[in-house]
Amino acid sequence: MKNRILETLTKFWGYTSFRSYQEEAILSILEERDTLTVLPTGGGKSVCFQLPALISEGMAVIVSPLLSLMKDQVDDLKDIGIAAECLNSSLTPKDQYSVTEKIRDGSLKLLYLSPERLLFNHTLDLLKSVKISFFVIDEAHCISHWGHNFREEYRQLGFIKKEFKNIGVHAFTATATPEVRQDIVKQLNLEEPHLYIGNMDRPNLNYRVLPRSSQLLGQIVNVIKKHPNEQGIVYCLRRADVDEISAKLNDLGIQNLPYHAGLSDEERKKNQDQFSSESVHIIVATIAFGMGVDCSNIRYVIHAAMPKSIEHYQQETGRAGRDGLSADCTLFYSGSDYRTWEYMLRDSSNQKVMLSKLSAMYNFCVRPQCRHRTLVHYFAHAYENNNCGACDYCLGEVEMAQEPLLIGQKIISCVARVRERFGADHVADVLKGNRTAAIERWGHEKISTFSLMNSETKVFIRFMIEQLIGQGFLRRENEFMTLTITESGRKLLKGDLVPVLAKPIVAAKKKEIEAKRVSRRAREWEGFDEKLFQALRAKRAELAQTKNVPAYIIFSDKTLKDMALNSPKTIEQFANIFGVGAAKQRQYGQIFVDVIKNYESQTLN
Ligand code: ADP
Ligand code: ZN
């Protein structure tokens, strides 16, 4: 069986080996044993159920929460020659009828459905009348209150095991903490499932987390400029921020499209299609964008504000670099993001859980340590690597403050001296020794901590205060954002706990970071003809636009990069390129071989 599944992978998908847990998950599905598979975004979950569906008798039913996701997967499958369809409300009655016919006559290998659709009586009757190979519950974390994307209809999916006895049910998700995992197994009534929990790390993502300055636009532009012509997403918290940033970027000549729930369905679809087919490179969006977007070639994600949980952060950054090639994730956060979310979550039914997720997220931002390690630990996995080589901390872009304990003690004792009745800005002024009107009014120029940190800038002091808050030594309270000292803050005063404090990044450091980045990128492209790569991308965009499908469905960046490295000159050579199966070779081989030949004859002349 092992040989057979590997042959199928190569013949249809053009891949020559399995990624971790794919083979195990496939074998378990073929053995009709229930499974829960947790693999990070881009880990290759789809193949885990598409491949066994292809070689099993009957039709597999895939429950998926999003129409657009279904459509892309179905297009993708058809493009490699596998019979798949989806059944949902976006189809015309005629198309629905024709899909129903295909189900009846047994010609489909995969059927994608929304949970609502599956719950319809006539859908159930239809499915009971045909041979089902197995069920898949995609994005299974939606079933759990402990997850970050709870969906009511998912809650009812436990009935599958009861209605379809002896048919395997397989759950897949990218983000699941241990609570969510248990909940999935329980809610779906999985029977002694095999669990495959992959490493949640995404080694090809370069994480950077920076405090947001008053020049956010400049910060965003700086990142964009490092990725000319590459696909990127800028995430904002609110619709108004999307509109503002999108318009300002366009004013600067940086072409982009907005995306949020306030736009009409039509406009959203148009913008998403233009981005997917690469006629536009940048999309500025709320988190409404991305669920259901599987583009594998997104080279960077910028967060203009902090998400409300690490699960969200993981999911949003996870959209970058799904092809496994290097991609940049840059987050600009501020203490005000924490407060905005706290306010927005005030009426949430799940407030306690949500607030603890929010704190973990803020701590991730302000605690300088390996970002990969922190994310992996959050999902309760071990992280062996001492230096990930792919985060601001490990790349040496973060400079640690000397004597963090002393700094922490100075700040916290100042908070005590002003009787825990003032906000961060005032405390920073006192420590800096600024004689502001407020300071004179309260006589704070006379207290012992006045001017205690006068050799540092106020920016430095504020940055330290934010880190102390994020790490739980100080807390902001009431509508005046008064700083108070927590239990661990008192321990810090006694020297029993030590904070981890980074310095704000100054101009000289920025230059050094940039120089290192340029040399890393040069190394990455060593041996590749980048111009040929761009020519291949242009052809891909042209095909995507004519066929009206996302560019990645034609070929991933990784496949194009392999073409640029090996420049195949015949269809036979073309078959050896990464990600080229039989159907792709037939459909696109000649077209891309011609691009390569043309390019070479032009560069020779
Ligand atoms: P997920 O659903 O887990 O986020 P996908 O199924 O979309 O991930 O896979 C991400 C990318 O990896 C896709 O471009 C997919 O074709 C590719 N991929 C999947 N399995 C393999 C493999 N064994 N070898 C190489 N690439 C693979
Ligand atoms: Zn690291």
Side-chain angles (χ1 to χ4, degrees):
M1 189 47 100
K2 280 194 178 179
N3 281 344
R4 169 141 188 244
I5 64 176
L6 188 61
E7 272 165 26
T8 313
L9 181 77
T10 309
K11 175 157 174 243
F12 283 85
W13 281 268
Y15 303 140
T16 46
S17 61
F18 284 109
R19 293 200 180 145
S20 51
Y21 293 111
Q22 281 184 325
E23 192 176 24
E24 290 85 341
I26 290 172
L27 290 172
S28 165
I29 293 180
L30 291 171
E31 279 166 21
E32 303 184 7
R33 173 80 176 260
D34 291 352
T35 53
L36 165 60
T37 305
V38 185
L39 288 177
T41 317
K45 285 183 286 299
S46 328
V47 170
C48 297
F49 55 83
Q50 290 170 346
L51 195 155
L54 177 63
I55 60 180
S56 295
E57 198 191 328
M59 173 184 81
V61 177
I62 321 299
V63 180
S64 166
L66 280 157
L67 301 189
S68 55
L69 197 91
M70 293 183 205
K71 182 177 174 303
D72 285 351
Q73 289 218 359
V74 168
D75 283 348
D76 212 358
L77 286 165
K78 286 181 176 168
D79 215 45
I80 60 173
I82 299 176
E85 290 293 350
C86 51
L87 197 51
N88 61 48
S89 51
S90 73
L91 300 183
T92 60
K94 189 163 153 255
D95 285 343
Q96 297 199 25
Y97 179 77
S98 110
V99 172
T100 311
E101 283 304 290
K102 285 187 192 167
I103 297 172
R104 284 215 176 89
D105 68 27
S107 59
L108 291 182
K109 294 316 299 178
L110 293 102
L111 174 70
Y112 285 76
L113 287 176
S114 63
E116 300 85 88
R117 189 75 186 210
L118 179 60
L119 294 165
F120 283 177
N121 276 337
H122 57 262
T123 313
L124 272 184
D125 292 341
L126 177 63
L127 294 182
K128 284 197 166 158
S129 71
V130 298
K131 165 89 185 146
I132 304 284
S133 49
F134 55 83
F135 284 88
V136 167
I137 315 300
D138 205 4
E139 311 284 349
H141 57 273
C142 295
I143 210 165
S144 174
H145 277 300
W146 292 98
H148 57 290
N149 231 328
F150 175 64
R151 279 171 172 258
E152 200 59 54
E153 323 80 60
Y154 257 71
R155 209 72 185 167
Q156 298 170 40
L157 294 176
F159 83 96
I160 298 177
K161 273 292 359 156
K162 293 181 186 146
E163 293 282 335
F164 295 84
K165 294 216 161 46
N166 304 324
I167 294 188
V169 172
H170 310 288
F172 285 84
T173 173
T175 42
T177 50
E179 296 97 321
V180 178
R181 264 179 247 154
Q182 282 168 12
D183 214 14
I184 292 173
V185 171
K186 188 167 144 236
Q187 298 290 336
L188 287 176
N189 300 316
L190 299 187
E191 288 161 12
E192 296 173 32
H194 272 148
L195 297 184
Y196 299 109
I197 316 285
N199 186 342
M200 294 314 284
D201 190 32
R202 301 282 311 276
N204 61 316
L205 299 187
N206 309 308
Y207 298 111
R208 289 190 176 78
V209 183
L210 296 158
R212 185 162 67 238
S213 76
S214 52
Q215 270 89 45
L216 171 65
L217 192 70
Q219 289 183 304
I220 293 174
V221 170
N222 269 337
V223 179
I224 293 178
K225 284 206 171 135
K226 294 180 180 121
H227 297 273
N229 294 322
E230 296 183 345
Q231 300 302 109
I233 310 177
V234 182
Y235 277 117
C236 305
L237 223 73
R238 305 177 196 81
R239 293 174 193 178
D241 303 334
V242 168
D243 290 335
E244 185 188 328
I245 290 176
S246 168
K248 283 186 174 162
L249 288 174
N250 274 323
D251 286 347
L252 290 172
I254 300 176
Q255 210 201 3
N256 73 90
L257 290 169
Y259 189 102
H260 58 65
L263 302 175
S264 68
D265 285 355
E266 208 175 310
E267 210 167 345
R268 274 209 309 268
K269 181 166 180 333
K270 200 179 86 215
N271 293 357
Q272 173 172 333
D273 286 350
Q274 287 199 46
F275 177 73
S276 302
S277 67
E278 299 196 349
S279 51
V280 166
H281 298 310
I282 300 168
I283 199 136
V284 182
T286 58
I287 57 168
F289 180 78
M291 268 293 252
V293 179
D294 264 358
C295 300
S296 70
N297 54 336
I298 293 172
R299 298 269 67 89
Y300 65 101
V301 167
I302 300 174
H303 276 91
M306 182 184 80
K308 64 178 162 185
S309 73
I310 289 188
E311 284 91 337
H312 281 92
Y313 179 68
Q314 178 94 346
Q315 191 170 52
E316 286 147 29
T317 52
R319 295 189 176 118
R322 292 176 79 132
D323 49 16
L325 298 177
S326 170
D328 286 332
C329 305
T330 313
L331 163 58
F332 298 109
Y333 74 95
S334 137
S336 66
D337 296 339
Y338 183 92
R339 297 193 292 280
T340 306
W341 281 121
E342 198 178 33
Y343 181 76
M344 295 208 264
L345 295 172
R346 72 194 181 283
D347 298 326
S348 133
S349 57
N350 220 359
Q351 199 193 29
K352 233 174 142 191
V353 176
M354 305 301 266
L355 284 180
S356 79
K357 287 185 192 287
L358 178 62
S359 291
M361 182 70 226
Y362 195 54
N363 196 358
F364 170 80
C365 293
V366 296
R367 193 178 175 95
Q369 56 189 2
C370 174
R371 312 286 177 187
H372 284 268
R373 175 186 299 274
T374 314
L375 292 174
V376 170
H377 281 181
Y378 180 80
F379 294 105
H381 292 269
Y383 189 77
E384 309 293 343
N385 215 341
N386 268 330
N387 184 320
C388 73
C391 80
D392 49 1
Y393 184 79
C394 295
L395 289 170
E397 295 177 7
V398 178
E399 229 176 323
M400 303 310 289
Q402 301 297 315
E403 305 192 277
L405 179 59
L406 196 61
I407 295 173
Q409 287 172 330
K410 284 179 181 174
I411 292 172
I412 293 179
S413 50
C414 187
V415 174
R417 290 279 179 279
V418 299
R419 297 172 189 277
E420 305 180 58
R421 274 171 24 201
F422 292 83
D425 212 57
H426 185 86
V427 170
D429 276 328
V430 174
L431 285 160
K432 176 69 193 161
N434 289 338
R435 289 177 182 270
T436 64
I439 286 186
E440 298 200 337
R441 173 144 45 98
W442 296 99
H444 285 166
E445 75 281 13
K446 298 192 198 88
I447 61 180
S448 60
T449 51
F450 183 74
S451 196
L452 190 59
M453 293 178 77
N454 62 359
S455 60
E456 305 291 354
T457 61
K458 186 171 163 190
V459 170
F460 178 95
I461 302 171
R462 281 300 308 259
F463 191 48
M464 298 300 142
I465 295 178
E466 284 309 319
Q467 294 179 80
L468 291 172
I469 297 170
Q471 293 171 31
F473 297 107
L474 290 173
R475 193 167 38 224
R476 281 194 171 91
E477 262 168 33
N478 64 43
E479 72 270 35
F480 303 113
M481 303 299 164
T482 306
L483 289 183
T484 60
I485 304 168
T486 64
E487 200 47 47
S488 26
R490 294 188 199 285
K491 290 193 181 142
L492 188 153
L493 269 183
K494 285 194 240 149
D496 293 343
L497 284 177
V498 182
V500 186
L501 299 174
K503 289 186 190 169
I505 298 177
V506 294
K509 183 77 187 169
K510 274 188 195 150
K511 273 207 181 123
E512 181 197 316
I513 294 172
E514 180 55 19
K516 279 199 199 149
R517 192 192 64 80
V518 170
S519 74
R520 268 200 312 277
R521 182 173 157 82
R523 274 203 303 278
E524 229 167 79
W525 282 90
E526 221 166 46
F528 285 94
D529 189 335
E530 204 172 337
K531 285 208 183 100
L532 173 55
F533 176 74
Q534 294 304 345
L536 295 164
R537 266 191 77 198
K539 176 53 81 181
R540 177 179 67 181
E542 186 192 311
L543 288 170
Q545 281 150 38
T546 4
K547 295 186 74 169
N548 197 18
V549 293
Y552 79 91
I553 286 197
I554 302 196
F555 283 127
S556 69
D557 275 7
K558 200 160 176 185
T559 298
L560 297 191
K561 232 179 150 181
D562 201 32
M563 284 183 216
L565 183 68
N566 292 305
S567 48
K569 310 285 184 315
T570 64
I571 297 264
E572 291 70 37
Q573 289 171 4
F574 194 78
N576 297 326
I577 295 296
F578 173 89
V580 176
K584 297 267 186 198
Q585 181 198 16
R586 238 184 352 262
Q587 260 194 88
Y588 305 118
Q590 197 58 51
I591 301 176
F592 282 88
V593 164
D594 286 347
V595 174
I596 294 168
K597 284 193 188 153
N598 260 337
Y599 173 83
E600 294 197 347
S601 70
Q602 271 167 20
T603 38
L604 281 179
N605 291 331

